[in-house]
Amino acid sequence: MAEIARRRPPSYTRHVEFVIEGLIRLCGVSAIIFILAIFVFIGKEGIGFLLRNVLPMLVSIDWSPTAEPPVYGILALVVGTLWCVGLSLCFSVPVGLASAVYLSEFASDRARESLKVVVELLAAIPSVVWGFIGVMILNPLLQKLGAQVGLNGLNGAIVLALMTLPLLVSLGEDALRAVPESYRQAAIAMGATRWEMVWRVLMPAAQRGLLVAVLLGVGRCIGETMAVLMATGHAVRIPTSIYDPVRTLTATIAAELGEAVRGGEHYQSLFALGILLFAVTFVVNFIADRTLRGRRAS
Amino acid sequence: MTRVLFLSLLATTACSRPDKNGGEADASRPVVLQAKGSDTMVNLIQRLSEEYAKVSPRTVVAVTGGGSGTGIKAIIDGTTDMAASSRAMKDEEKAQAEGKGIHPVETTIAFDGLSIYVHKDNPMTQVDFDTLKLIFGSEGTAAHWKDVGVTMDCGNGDDAIVKVGRQNNSGTYEYFKEHVLGTEGKFTSTMDQSGTQQVLDVVGTTKCAIGYGGMGYSNPGAKHLCLAKGKTDACVEPIEQNVLSGNYPFSRALFIYTNGAPSGAVKEFLDWSLSAAADKVVAEAGFVPTPKSGAAPAGG
Amino acid sequence: MSEPIIRCRGLSLWYGSFRALDRVSLDVKPGEILSLIGPSGCGKSTLIRCFNRMNDYPYVRIEGDLQVAGYDVTSRQTDALALRRDAGMVFQRPNPLPLSIRDNVLFGVRLHAPRTPRSVQDGLVENSLRAVMLWDQVKDRLDHDAETLSLEGRQKLCIARLLPLKPKVLLMDEPCSALDPDGIGAVEELMGSLRGAFTQVIVTHNMQQARRISDRCVFMLMGELVELGPTAQLFTKPVDERTARYIEGRYG
């Protein structure tokens, strides 16, 4: 004991502790500062415009920021975004949750490990590559299936679904695995089949966790940019068919921000779109967070 | 794609700006010139800079696209040496530049013909401005090919026109809008692509599509249309001699904007680009070189 | 002497290469309470789990003959779901499902008889909860989450949910080990009241409990059935010396 004490004098230890603690605190505080800074930056550029134009923005479907006079209707963009997200959930939720159930309840250890690698690989594919997949593979495929234009809302939705699948599968699997083993035993011991056990016990028990997975998937969909820019056809319109091209909020920002004159109305309008997106994803994540908290509390 | 490149380059340009407009103290040091703007012109300036490097090896022209608006924005913000634009600067933009102490000077570097493209299976061979307005205008009534007298089947007996265009801040978009729809005119909903090549890719793979874009592009699935001004006028093919002669109704000048009259390395580059030596390069890029007599051609 | 409801002959079980049961033979008579005692790891839980095929894992191998409520348990062709309906199990930790009290009681009914009319269901819920002496306590909050019950209440509910299926055998794997003394008393009282109506097999590490409630008692050691006899006799005049030593408290 005495030897150890001599080798590490208390003052030295105290200084090292102090420095490390300071660094950790700095990291934590800087994360908060960065987020606030981003918020302030986006807010500063766009909030004035948003407040001045909120009503015309919300009622018009015409987005012509470079026309004379410019029109900043975002209705079609909002509908386009929701359209893509909604359609993509129709694919990703059933498939994602089914895969999660398979991985957590039915797959052998070896199958699970290899499938998880595949899922992680899916997650590692960059957004632009998904865009290419939309353009090069889905585009002709959808045309063969009868779509006039291969780059359309459905294309974007499929790409989004593929992108959100890894998230849904891994979070869904976590949620299912968090269900106590005793529930499974109880159901099996009463003569439930594996499937009945999943459907009647696991699903209700993992409800919140699965909902969180879906909500985070929604957040991911709303925020996704590059892939939808390439796959959706990028046309401002209210879709009437799943084969109609659409345009999303994010794609609009990505396509136009580089060319808008800094400080101009068009530039500000894009930041206003940014605020809107920020607000929507914030609300979605907030709900997800509350849902998760609810689960922990109960 | 160019946009991603552009955004990442934007960050680096600010730190890589040696003095190019005068102080050429060290002749051995390479001079990097920034040229930014029109996607239509990226290809052109790239080729010019490659050829120019053979003449003047120490000059490097870094070319980035993003659209004419991007270039003009960059010259206003003072982040580029040359702005490439396929449209003239608007008064509003000039005022903004002056407000920041920038004095943009325009140099015509080449001419471009704007082409109308359709799928190769489309029986249409020519089109006029009125028909284009019916198709692309917000007040236009042509939603189906039969509305403009063309019999098409795009599958399932449907013949709805798929309208493909450029992004609302590209020079091509502005140019098309001004000439076909009028300054007050507005587009109907189109699939807005970020470059002429993308327009052609969509048109080439979509049977019922029609699109507009620069002249120097091709796609095996697409063809261009012969263009007439009015319904009764004879149509003109979008080829070089028709552009230069002023007969092609859809040709335009391509501009380089500099802050103040070009000087130093920028002036040397532009002078060379306008010289007869560069004509071949311009033509190869699919554009029309400036006439060397000094008289600008009509149109555009 | 009526037919045994559980008939076990030379039953052996291996977890991988570990032999957990060694040629166990025993008969359980209808309506009796049989307790399984023995030190930890003696195989008593393994044995009771065999009775409704809860050991269906790829690494488990079973040999011997086992008949439970008319089912040939070791045969692959046996309908395990039906077997589990007729031989219900109660676990060490009360494990009500994350559903309402009512839905917990009806869980098995919905699995095995999904078309049961609601009026019948209501009757089943009431009777089952009455049988486990829980009805008066929960009749006004049947739609509450089962997790809101006390541990004792939950364990009673776990027994109650087996009853609507009219099982022949109740298998209880240390049903009282998570409960406080009051809870233990209540569950033991409940088991006594179910005597005769159901055959009950109970695993317990509590010798006093085995003594209090069971008609007959089995002592197991190292996977082997050492002694089986009327409870009073096994505890007072054990035949085997190992039983005697265990009862005196020399193991575990």
Side-chain angles (χ1 to χ4, degrees):
Chain A
M1 278 312 277
E3 200 178 319
I4 292 168
R6 218 177 303 126
R7 214 179 295 153
R8 292 179 54 189
S11 67
Y12 172 80
T13 315
R14 223 183 310 128
H15 285 130
V16 170
E17 289 262 320
F18 181 77
V19 169
I20 291 174
E21 200 186 303
L23 280 175
I24 292 172
R25 184 168 298 163
L26 194 73
C27 292
V29 171
S30 61
I32 296 168
I33 291 175
F34 285 141
I35 289 169
L36 282 179
I38 290 169
F39 194 72
V40 167
F41 173 68
I42 297 176
K44 181 174 70 82
E45 297 286 350
I47 195 80
F49 181 90
L50 192 66
L51 293 179
R52 278 198 306 282
N53 297 288
V54 66
L55 212 64
M57 276 174 92
L58 287 175
V59 295
S60 170
I61 60 166
D62 182 14
W63 174 261
S64 305
T66 53
E68 297 289 338
V71 188
Y72 299 102
I74 60 165
L75 204 57
L77 305 179
V78 171
V79 171
T81 299
L82 297 179
W83 180 260
C84 278
V85 172
L87 263 180
S88 89
L89 290 180
C90 294
F91 298 111
S92 61
V93 170
V95 177
L97 295 190
S99 322
V101 167
Y102 173 73
L103 282 180
S104 131
E105 304 303 320
F106 296 96
S108 68
D109 281 354
R110 186 188 287 174
R112 172 165 46 239
E113 287 318 311
S114 35
L115 273 170
K116 288 196 88 163
V117 171
V118 174
V119 168
E120 274 151 28
L121 268 179
L122 271 185
I125 296 176
S127 181
V128 194
V129 176
W130 283 117
F132 270 120
I133 291 172
V135 172
M136 308 306 291
I137 298 171
L138 291 173
N139 178 19
L141 202 71
L142 289 175
Q143 281 182 329
K144 278 208 189 77
L145 293 176
Q148 259 222 42
V149 197
L151 299 176
N152 53 36
L154 182 63
N155 190 330
I158 294 172
V159 166
L160 278 181
L162 290 171
M163 295 180 74
T164 40
L165 263 184
L167 191 82
L168 279 173
V169 172
S170 48
L171 288 181
E173 197 213 342
D174 287 349
L176 289 170
R177 296 200 131 211
V179 175
E181 191 59 31
S182 65
Y183 290 168
R184 292 185 180 79
Q185 268 198 344
I188 293 292
M190 291 180 73
T193 60
R194 297 273 280 284
W195 171 240
E196 284 168 332
M197 185 261 292
V198 166
W199 189 245
R200 289 166 190 258
V201 179
L202 289 194
M203 286 295 185
Q207 208 174 28
R208 284 168 187 280
L210 297 177
L211 188 64
V212 169
V214 171
L215 284 172
L216 290 177
V218 170
R220 170 100 167 82
C221 280
I222 295 175
E224 176 46 43
T225 306
M226 204 61 221
V228 290
L229 172 61
M230 295 166 75
T232 53
H234 208 54
V236 183
R237 72 176 63 157
I238 305 273
T240 52
S241 128
I242 54 169
Y243 289 148
D244 270 356
V246 295
R247 196 203 259 212
T248 65
L249 289 164
T250 47
T252 302
I253 298 177
E256 296 177 8
L257 188 62
E259 290 127 67
V261 179
R262 178 171 294 191
E265 281 242 297
H266 186 192
Y267 184 81
Q268 292 178 348
S269 74
L270 294 175
F271 273 89
L273 294 189
I275 294 176
L276 212 74
L277 273 171
F278 197 92
V280 171
T281 38
F282 182 79
V283 168
V284 171
N285 283 342
F286 183 73
I287 295 172
D289 191 56
R290 287 303 293 261
T291 313
L292 204 61
R293 248 171 240 270
R295 176 170 72 162
R296 291 209 186 101
S298 75
Chain B
M1 252 13 34
T2 46
R3 190 150 303 100
V4 178
L5 205 66
F6 158 70
L7 285 173
S8 53
L9 277 169
L10 189 69
T12 57
T13 47
C15 352
S16 62
R17 296 181 41 72
D19 185 11
K20 278 148 284 189
N21 291 338
E24 287 163 61
D26 188 352
S28 64
R29 266 182 61 195
V31 181
V32 180
L33 302 181
Q34 300 287 337
K36 190 174 293 179
S38 166
D39 286 324
T40 310
M41 294 166 70
V42 164
N43 206 6
L44 171 68
I45 299 174
Q46 186 64 48
R47 282 169 184 244
L48 283 173
S49 74
E50 281 163 14
E51 284 302 312
Y52 184 60
K54 294 174 186 166
V55 185
S56 169
R58 74 185 189 92
T59 310
V60 179
V61 183
V63 189
T64 41
S68 298
T70 309
I72 289 170
K73 179 188 168 207
I75 201 90
I76 293 172
D77 291 342
T79 56
T80 187
D81 303 307
M82 293 178 276
S85 176
S86 55
R87 61 168 171 85
M89 264 178 98
K90 297 174 187 169
D91 289 342
E92 172 197 324
E93 288 164 343
K94 281 181 185 157
Q96 258 178 353
E98 297 293 339
K100 291 193 175 186
I102 306 274
H103 310 291
V105 171
E106 177 181 299
T107 308
T108 302
I109 196 165
F111 292 89
D112 178 24
L114 213 150
S115 286
I116 307 300
Y117 299 99
V118 293
H119 192 266
K120 65 173 173 12
D121 293 346
N122 194 316
M124 206 180 205
T125 54
Q126 71 172 75
V127 69
D128 57 79
F129 276 42
D130 293 339
T131 308
L132 287 177
K133 193 171 180 178
L134 282 182
I135 293 173
F136 283 102
S138 61
E139 323 246 285
T141 50
H144 295 269
W145 281 107
K146 64 172 182 290
D147 299 337
V148 293
V150 177
T151 312
M152 284 285 285
D153 180 8
C154 320
N156 311 327
D158 189 15
D159 72 334
I161 303 178
V162 176
K163 302 159 185 183
V164 188
R166 288 295 317 279
Q167 235 146 253
N168 58 33
N169 34 22
S170 76
T172 315
Y173 170 99
E174 289 285 330
Y175 181 63
F176 185 95
K177 189 175 85 178
E178 222 175 288
H179 285 253
V180 175
L181 311 175
T183 9
E184 301 290 303
K186 284 178 84 172
F187 272 101
T188 184
S189 165
T190 60
M191 291 174 66
D192 307 335
Q193 305 302 305
S194 51
T196 298
Q197 192 57 55
Q198 278 93 314
V199 170
L200 264 142
D201 291 345
V202 174
V203 172
T205 55
T206 308
K207 215 173 160 192
C208 270
I210 182 169
Y212 61 85
M215 225 173 79
Y217 295 83
S218 67
N219 179 295
K223 64 174 185 186
H224 63 251
L225 295 178
C226 186
L227 186 64
K229 198 142 198 164
K231 271 200 161 54
T232 52
D233 296 331
C235 79
V236 185
E237 289 288 336
I239 53 173
E240 181 182 333
Q241 66 207 67
N242 293 337
V243 169
L244 218 50
S245 67
N247 288 333
Y248 187 63
F250 230 160
S251 59
R252 59 176 171 177
L254 301 177
F255 303 112
I256 294 286
Y257 284 96
T258 49
N259 179 14
S263 62
V266 174
K267 181 174 165 49
E268 286 166 23
F269 173 67
L270 290 180
D271 284 349
W272 178 84
S273 298
L274 293 170
S275 71
D279 282 1
K280 197 168 154 260
V281 184
V282 174
E284 273 173 6
F287 296 96
V288 180
T290 48
K292 297 299 167 270
S293 60
Chain C
M1 200 50 208
S2 55
E3 276 288 297
I5 191 143
I6 297 177
R7 187 172 169 279
C8 181
R9 289 290 176 273
L11 189 74
S12 295
L13 180 145
W14 288 263
Y15 292 117
S17 59
F18 172 71
R19 185 177 200 146
L21 291 179
D22 187 2
R23 285 160 294 173
V24 172
S25 298
L26 62 86
D27 285 343
V28 184
K29 296 176 210 159
E32 73 169 334
I33 299 180
L34 178 82
S35 59
L36 306 179
I37 59 168
S40 297
C42 70
K44 54 192 193 297
S45 279
T46 302
L47 180 62
I48 200 173
R49 290 171 67 89
C50 278
F51 291 166
N52 73 342
R53 283 254 305 252
M54 290 298 280
N55 285 325
D56 273 355
Y57 300 106
Y59 52 87
V60 171
R61 190 163 63 85
I62 297 177
E63 263 176 25
D65 181 47
L66 177 59
Q67 306 281 337
V68 174
Y71 296 92
D72 179 0
V73 176
T74 52
S75 161
R76 284 279 140 207
Q77 276 80 46
T78 300
D79 180 357
L81 307 183
L83 163 68
R84 289 168 187 155
R85 182 187 62 209
D86 288 345
M89 181 167 271
V90 178
F91 295 88
Q92 190 169 354
R93 296 257 347 146
N95 58 353
L97 295 165
L99 308 167
S100 69
I101 293 169
R102 183 188 149 85
D103 288 340
N104 260 281
V105 177
L106 291 172
F107 187 81
V109 176
R110 289 184 175 141
L111 288 177
H112 296 283
R115 290 180 195 282
T116 310
R118 192 174 166 101
S119 54
V120 177
Q121 291 185 356
D122 289 342
L124 286 172
V125 171
E126 181 172 346
N127 291 340
S128 305
L129 289 172
R130 277 193 194 285
V132 298
M133 296 172 270
L134 206 56
W135 174 254
D136 293 328
Q137 190 190 332
V138 301
K139 62 177 184 237
D140 299 323
R141 49 183 182 118
L142 291 175
D143 55 339
H144 283 214
D145 197 327
E147 313 246 317
T148 57
L149 291 172
S150 66
L151 267 179
E152 171 199 331
R154 286 186 219 176
Q155 194 62 301
K156 284 178 169 176
L157 181 64
C158 288
I159 298 170
R161 72 181 173 196
L162 302 175
L163 304 183
L165 297 171
K166 306 196 169 52
K168 301 193 175 77
V169 182
L170 298 179
L171 305 168
M172 308 203 194
D173 189 357
E174 301 196 28
C176 297
S177 64
L179 306 183
D180 61 15
D182 287 346
I184 294 171
V187 171
E188 284 179 8
E189 186 191 342
L190 166 60
M191 291 172 72
S193 76
L194 298 175
R195 188 194 310 259
F198 304 94
T199 307
Q200 298 174 63
V201 179
I202 169 172
V203 166
T204 178
H205 58 249
N206 179 338
M207 280 186 286
Q208 304 315 313
Q209 183 173 52
R211 213 167 170 169
R212 281 195 297 271
I213 57 170
S214 62
D215 303 314
R216 293 195 302 153
C217 189
V218 170
F219 171 65
M220 291 182 70
L221 191 64
M222 318 262 292
E224 202 182 322
L225 188 151
V226 174
E227 188 166 351
L228 165 61
T231 305
Q233 184 196 316
L234 188 126
F235 278 96
T236 50
K237 292 196 254 356
V239 177
D240 196 292
E241 198 204 335
R242 289 170 291 175
T243 315
R245 280 211 298 249
Y246 179 66
I247 290 163
E248 285 159 23
R250 298 213 202 135
Y251 301 111

